[in-house]
mmCIF file of all heavy atoms in Angstrom:
data_model
loop_
_atom_site.group_PDB
_atom_site.id
_atom_site.type_symbol
_atom_site.label_atom_id
_atom_site.label_comp_id
_atom_site.label_asym_id
_atom_site.label_seq_id
_atom_site.Cartn_x
_atom_site.Cartn_y
_atom_site.Cartn_z
ATOM 1 N N PRO A 20 -177.014 50.394 -8.632
ATOM 2 C CA PRO A 20 -177.063 51.595 -9.476
ATOM 3 C C PRO A 20 -176.124 51.546 -10.643
ATOM 4 O O PRO A 20 -174.938 51.275 -10.385
ATOM 5 C CB PRO A 20 -176.736 52.749 -8.533
ATOM 6 C CG PRO A 20 -175.820 52.052 -7.546
ATOM 7 C CD PRO A 20 -176.218 50.712 -7.390
ATOM 8 N N SER A 21 -176.646 51.639 -11.835
ATOM 9 C CA SER A 21 -175.758 51.513 -13.080
ATOM 10 C C SER A 21 -175.034 52.781 -13.292
ATOM 11 O O SER A 21 -175.433 53.923 -12.886
ATOM 12 C CB SER A 21 -176.637 51.266 -14.277
ATOM 13 O OG SER A 21 -175.895 51.285 -15.491
ATOM 14 N N ASP A 22 -173.745 52.617 -13.775
ATOM 15 C CA ASP A 22 -173.057 53.778 -14.227
ATOM 16 C C ASP A 22 -172.791 53.822 -15.705
ATOM 17 O O ASP A 22 -171.875 54.549 -16.152
ATOM 18 C CB ASP A 22 -171.617 53.723 -13.439
ATOM 19 C CG ASP A 22 -170.879 52.469 -13.796
ATOM 20 O OD1 ASP A 22 -171.355 51.606 -14.631
ATOM 21 O OD2 ASP A 22 -169.792 52.268 -13.301
ATOM 22 N N ASP A 23 -173.618 53.034 -16.493
ATOM 23 C CA ASP A 23 -173.601 53.048 -17.899
ATOM 24 C C ASP A 23 -172.408 52.339 -18.452
ATOM 25 O O ASP A 23 -172.160 52.365 -19.647
ATOM 26 C CB ASP A 23 -173.677 54.545 -18.500
ATOM 27 C CG ASP A 23 -174.221 54.568 -19.962
ATOM 28 O OD1 ASP A 23 -175.011 53.671 -20.277
ATOM 29 O OD2 ASP A 23 -173.776 55.388 -20.661
ATOM 30 N N LYS A 24 -171.534 51.603 -17.676
ATOM 31 C CA LYS A 24 -170.477 50.945 -18.075
ATOM 32 C C LYS A 24 -170.731 49.444 -18.112
ATOM 33 O O LYS A 24 -171.742 49.005 -17.571
ATOM 34 C CB LYS A 24 -169.237 51.298 -17.159
ATOM 35 C CG LYS A 24 -168.823 52.700 -17.213
ATOM 36 C CD LYS A 24 -167.586 52.943 -16.323
ATOM 37 C CE LYS A 24 -167.224 54.424 -16.286
ATOM 38 N NZ LYS A 24 -166.062 54.680 -15.377
ATOM 39 N N ARG A 25 -169.774 48.697 -18.715
ATOM 40 C CA ARG A 25 -169.928 47.279 -18.804
ATOM 41 C C ARG A 25 -169.512 46.681 -17.475
ATOM 42 O O ARG A 25 -168.500 46.950 -16.833
ATOM 43 C CB ARG A 25 -168.961 46.723 -19.878
ATOM 44 C CG ARG A 25 -169.114 45.230 -20.161
ATOM 45 C CD ARG A 25 -168.049 44.766 -21.151
ATOM 46 N NE ARG A 25 -166.739 44.679 -20.417
ATOM 47 C CZ ARG A 25 -165.583 44.613 -21.084
ATOM 48 N NH1 ARG A 25 -165.523 44.779 -22.403
ATOM 49 N NH2 ARG A 25 -164.455 44.574 -20.326
ATOM 50 N N HIS A 26 -170.356 45.726 -16.960
ATOM 51 C CA HIS A 26 -170.070 44.992 -15.783
ATOM 52 C C HIS A 26 -170.649 43.525 -15.821
ATOM 53 O O HIS A 26 -171.461 43.260 -16.703
ATOM 54 C CB HIS A 26 -170.744 45.647 -14.561
ATOM 55 C CG HIS A 26 -170.211 47.066 -14.252
ATOM 56 N ND1 HIS A 26 -169.040 47.345 -13.681
ATOM 57 C CD2 HIS A 26 -170.837 48.309 -14.606
ATOM 58 C CE1 HIS A 26 -168.879 48.601 -13.540
ATOM 59 N NE2 HIS A 26 -169.927 49.225 -14.081
ATOM 60 N N TRP A 27 -170.191 42.726 -14.946
ATOM 61 C CA TRP A 27 -170.854 41.432 -14.752
ATOM 62 C C TRP A 27 -171.065 41.180 -13.302
ATOM 63 O O TRP A 27 -170.197 41.612 -12.474
ATOM 64 C CB TRP A 27 -170.084 40.285 -15.404
ATOM 65 C CG TRP A 27 -168.665 40.047 -14.976
ATOM 66 C CD1 TRP A 27 -167.549 40.654 -15.552
ATOM 67 C CD2 TRP A 27 -168.206 39.273 -13.909
ATOM 68 N NE1 TRP A 27 -166.378 40.236 -14.950
ATOM 69 C CE2 TRP A 27 -166.774 39.435 -13.912
ATOM 70 C CE3 TRP A 27 -168.798 38.505 -12.944
ATOM 71 C CZ2 TRP A 27 -166.011 38.770 -12.932
ATOM 72 C CZ3 TRP A 27 -167.981 37.893 -12.020
ATOM 73 C CH2 TRP A 27 -166.622 37.974 -12.034
ATOM 74 N N ILE A 28 -172.255 40.641 -12.934
ATOM 75 C CA ILE A 28 -172.475 40.482 -11.526
ATOM 76 C C ILE A 28 -173.028 38.958 -11.457
ATOM 77 O O ILE A 28 -173.822 38.473 -12.165
ATOM 78 C CB ILE A 28 -173.640 41.449 -11.073
ATOM 79 C CG1 ILE A 28 -173.135 42.832 -11.123
ATOM 80 C CG2 ILE A 28 -174.164 41.030 -9.691
ATOM 81 C CD1 ILE A 28 -174.232 43.929 -10.770
ATOM 82 N N ARG A 29 -172.463 38.265 -10.366
ATOM 83 C CA ARG A 29 -172.876 36.927 -10.182
ATOM 84 C C ARG A 29 -172.939 36.679 -8.676
ATOM 85 O O ARG A 29 -172.530 37.473 -7.835
ATOM 86 C CB ARG A 29 -171.962 35.972 -10.886
ATOM 87 C CG ARG A 29 -170.554 35.795 -10.370
ATOM 88 C CD ARG A 29 -169.706 34.723 -11.114
ATOM 89 N NE ARG A 29 -168.529 34.392 -10.345
ATOM 90 C CZ ARG A 29 -168.506 33.499 -9.403
ATOM 91 N NH1 ARG A 29 -169.621 32.892 -9.025
ATOM 92 N NH2 ARG A 29 -167.395 33.184 -8.753
ATOM 93 N N ALA A 30 -173.448 35.412 -8.310
ATOM 94 C CA ALA A 30 -173.636 35.058 -6.923
ATOM 95 C C ALA A 30 -172.996 33.730 -6.648
ATOM 96 O O ALA A 30 -172.909 32.832 -7.584
ATOM 97 C CB ALA A 30 -175.053 34.973 -6.522
ATOM 98 N N ASN A 31 -172.358 33.570 -5.449
ATOM 99 C CA ASN A 31 -172.008 32.324 -4.918
ATOM 100 C C ASN A 31 -172.784 32.050 -3.659
ATOM 101 O O ASN A 31 -173.380 32.972 -3.072
ATOM 102 C CB ASN A 31 -170.521 32.285 -4.481
ATOM 103 C CG ASN A 31 -169.563 32.327 -5.695
ATOM 104 O OD1 ASN A 31 -169.794 31.807 -6.696
ATOM 105 N ND2 ASN A 31 -168.441 32.954 -5.465
ATOM 106 N N VAL A 32 -172.786 30.871 -3.166
ATOM 107 C CA VAL A 32 -173.273 30.567 -1.824
ATOM 108 C C VAL A 32 -172.128 29.795 -1.104
ATOM 109 O O VAL A 32 -171.576 28.882 -1.571
ATOM 110 C CB VAL A 32 -174.557 29.597 -1.903
ATOM 111 C CG1 VAL A 32 -174.934 29.122 -0.481
ATOM 112 C CG2 VAL A 32 -175.667 30.322 -2.462
ATOM 113 N N ARG A 33 -171.869 30.336 0.064
ATOM 114 C CA ARG A 33 -170.820 29.781 0.975
ATOM 115 C C ARG A 33 -171.498 29.210 2.193
ATOM 116 O O ARG A 33 -172.384 29.778 2.763
ATOM 117 C CB ARG A 33 -169.770 30.714 1.293
ATOM 118 C CG ARG A 33 -168.944 31.158 0.074
ATOM 119 C CD ARG A 33 -167.792 32.042 0.487
ATOM 120 N NE ARG A 33 -166.973 32.490 -0.643
ATOM 121 C CZ ARG A 33 -165.834 31.731 -1.101
ATOM 122 N NH1 ARG A 33 -165.564 30.602 -0.429
ATOM 123 N NH2 ARG A 33 -165.152 32.105 -2.128
ATOM 124 N N GLY A 34 -170.895 28.024 2.724
ATOM 125 C CA GLY A 34 -171.426 27.519 3.919
ATOM 126 C C GLY A 34 -171.097 28.348 5.188
ATOM 127 O O GLY A 34 -170.357 29.316 5.066
ATOM 128 N N ALA A 35 -171.573 27.907 6.261
ATOM 129 C CA ALA A 35 -171.308 28.683 7.551
ATOM 130 C C ALA A 35 -169.877 28.830 7.798
ATOM 131 O O ALA A 35 -169.451 29.772 8.539
ATOM 132 C CB ALA A 35 -172.102 28.021 8.674
ATOM 133 N N ASN A 36 -169.100 27.844 7.390
ATOM 134 C CA ASN A 36 -167.551 27.950 7.610
ATOM 135 C C ASN A 36 -166.793 28.492 6.437
ATOM 136 O O ASN A 36 -165.573 28.416 6.437
ATOM 137 C CB ASN A 36 -167.057 26.503 7.954
ATOM 138 C CG ASN A 36 -167.675 26.024 9.274
ATOM 139 O OD1 ASN A 36 -167.837 26.748 10.248
ATOM 140 N ND2 ASN A 36 -168.006 24.669 9.263
ATOM 141 N N GLY A 37 -167.494 29.111 5.473
ATOM 142 C CA GLY A 37 -166.870 29.772 4.327
ATOM 143 C C GLY A 37 -166.594 28.793 3.159
ATOM 144 O O GLY A 37 -166.165 29.363 2.108
ATOM 145 N N GLU A 38 -166.994 27.558 3.269
ATOM 146 C CA GLU A 38 -166.704 26.664 2.101
ATOM 147 C C GLU A 38 -167.612 27.081 0.890
ATOM 148 O O GLU A 38 -168.760 27.430 1.140
ATOM 149 C CB GLU A 38 -166.903 25.176 2.532
ATOM 150 C CG GLU A 38 -168.341 24.845 2.907
ATOM 151 C CD GLU A 38 -168.713 25.007 4.361
ATOM 152 O OE1 GLU A 38 -168.021 25.974 5.022
ATOM 153 O OE2 GLU A 38 -169.520 24.415 4.830
ATOM 154 N N LEU A 39 -167.053 26.963 -0.275
ATOM 155 C CA LEU A 39 -167.806 27.319 -1.480
ATOM 156 C C LEU A 39 -168.750 26.194 -1.814
ATOM 157 O O LEU A 39 -168.376 25.091 -2.207
ATOM 158 C CB LEU A 39 -166.892 27.601 -2.586
ATOM 159 C CG LEU A 39 -167.417 28.178 -3.937
ATOM 160 C CD1 LEU A 39 -168.265 29.453 -3.639
ATOM 161 C CD2 LEU A 39 -166.313 28.428 -4.916
ATOM 162 N N LEU A 40 -170.074 26.423 -1.770
ATOM 163 C CA LEU A 40 -171.081 25.360 -2.031
ATOM 164 C C LEU A 40 -171.636 25.451 -3.429
ATOM 165 O O LEU A 40 -171.779 24.488 -4.138
ATOM 166 C CB LEU A 40 -172.204 25.512 -1.010
ATOM 167 C CG LEU A 40 -171.869 25.420 0.413
ATOM 168 C CD1 LEU A 40 -173.111 25.513 1.346
ATOM 169 C CD2 LEU A 40 -171.076 24.074 0.714
ATOM 170 N N LEU A 41 -172.004 26.719 -3.895
ATOM 171 C CA LEU A 41 -172.736 26.957 -5.155
ATOM 172 C C LEU A 41 -171.973 28.074 -5.915
ATOM 173 O O LEU A 41 -171.713 29.038 -5.296
ATOM 174 C CB LEU A 41 -174.202 27.222 -4.954
ATOM 175 C CG LEU A 41 -174.982 26.238 -4.128
ATOM 176 C CD1 LEU A 41 -176.399 26.688 -3.881
ATOM 177 C CD2 LEU A 41 -175.049 24.890 -4.912
ATOM 178 N N VAL A 42 -171.761 27.913 -7.180
ATOM 179 C CA VAL A 42 -171.119 28.890 -8.002
ATOM 180 C C VAL A 42 -172.105 29.270 -9.152
ATOM 181 O O VAL A 42 -172.529 28.406 -9.963
ATOM 182 C CB VAL A 42 -169.817 28.333 -8.645
ATOM 183 C CG1 VAL A 42 -169.157 29.332 -9.545
ATOM 184 C CG2 VAL A 42 -168.816 27.846 -7.558
ATOM 185 N N GLY A 43 -172.416 30.564 -9.148
ATOM 186 C CA GLY A 43 -173.403 31.016 -10.085
ATOM 187 C C GLY A 43 -172.753 31.644 -11.348
ATOM 188 O O GLY A 43 -171.583 32.165 -11.279
ATOM 189 N N ASN A 44 -173.309 31.704 -12.520
ATOM 190 C CA ASN A 44 -172.911 32.401 -13.623
ATOM 191 C C ASN A 44 -173.439 33.792 -13.620
ATOM 192 O O ASN A 44 -174.385 34.187 -12.937
ATOM 193 C CB ASN A 44 -173.399 31.686 -14.937
ATOM 194 C CG ASN A 44 -172.391 30.616 -15.317
ATOM 195 O OD1 ASN A 44 -171.382 30.918 -16.006
ATOM 196 N ND2 ASN A 44 -172.668 29.364 -14.965
ATOM 197 N N PRO A 45 -172.745 34.701 -14.416
ATOM 198 C CA PRO A 45 -173.108 36.167 -14.289
ATOM 199 C C PRO A 45 -174.331 36.575 -15.044
ATOM 200 O O PRO A 45 -174.750 35.873 -16.009
ATOM 201 C CB PRO A 45 -171.857 36.862 -14.885
ATOM 202 C CG PRO A 45 -170.830 35.753 -15.164
ATOM 203 C CD PRO A 45 -171.565 34.446 -15.219
ATOM 204 N N ILE A 46 -174.837 37.665 -14.633
ATOM 205 C CA ILE A 46 -175.642 38.534 -15.503
ATOM 206 C C ILE A 46 -174.834 39.566 -16.035
ATOM 207 O O ILE A 46 -174.058 40.306 -15.219
ATOM 208 C CB ILE A 46 -176.952 39.002 -14.706
ATOM 209 C CG1 ILE A 46 -177.874 37.863 -14.380
ATOM 210 C CG2 ILE A 46 -177.637 40.058 -15.502
ATOM 211 C CD1 ILE A 46 -179.027 38.239 -13.548
ATOM 212 N N TYR A 47 -174.924 39.976 -17.333
ATOM 213 C CA TYR A 47 -174.057 40.906 -17.881
ATOM 214 C C TYR A 47 -174.783 42.265 -18.079
ATOM 215 O O TYR A 47 -175.889 42.276 -18.583
ATOM 216 C CB TYR A 47 -173.531 40.454 -19.252
ATOM 217 C CG TYR A 47 -172.778 39.128 -19.157
ATOM 218 C CD1 TYR A 47 -173.439 37.956 -19.270
ATOM 219 C CD2 TYR A 47 -171.468 39.083 -18.932
ATOM 220 C CE1 TYR A 47 -172.769 36.655 -19.180
ATOM 221 C CE2 TYR A 47 -170.702 37.892 -18.776
ATOM 222 C CZ TYR A 47 -171.384 36.689 -18.992
ATOM 223 O OH TYR A 47 -170.698 35.516 -18.889
#
């Protein structure tokens, strides 16, 4: 839900043990 303010949202993927596998760029 938007609040009309500036934000950025992005995604990562972590493995089953928490290791960082994939780093995504944001949508603004």
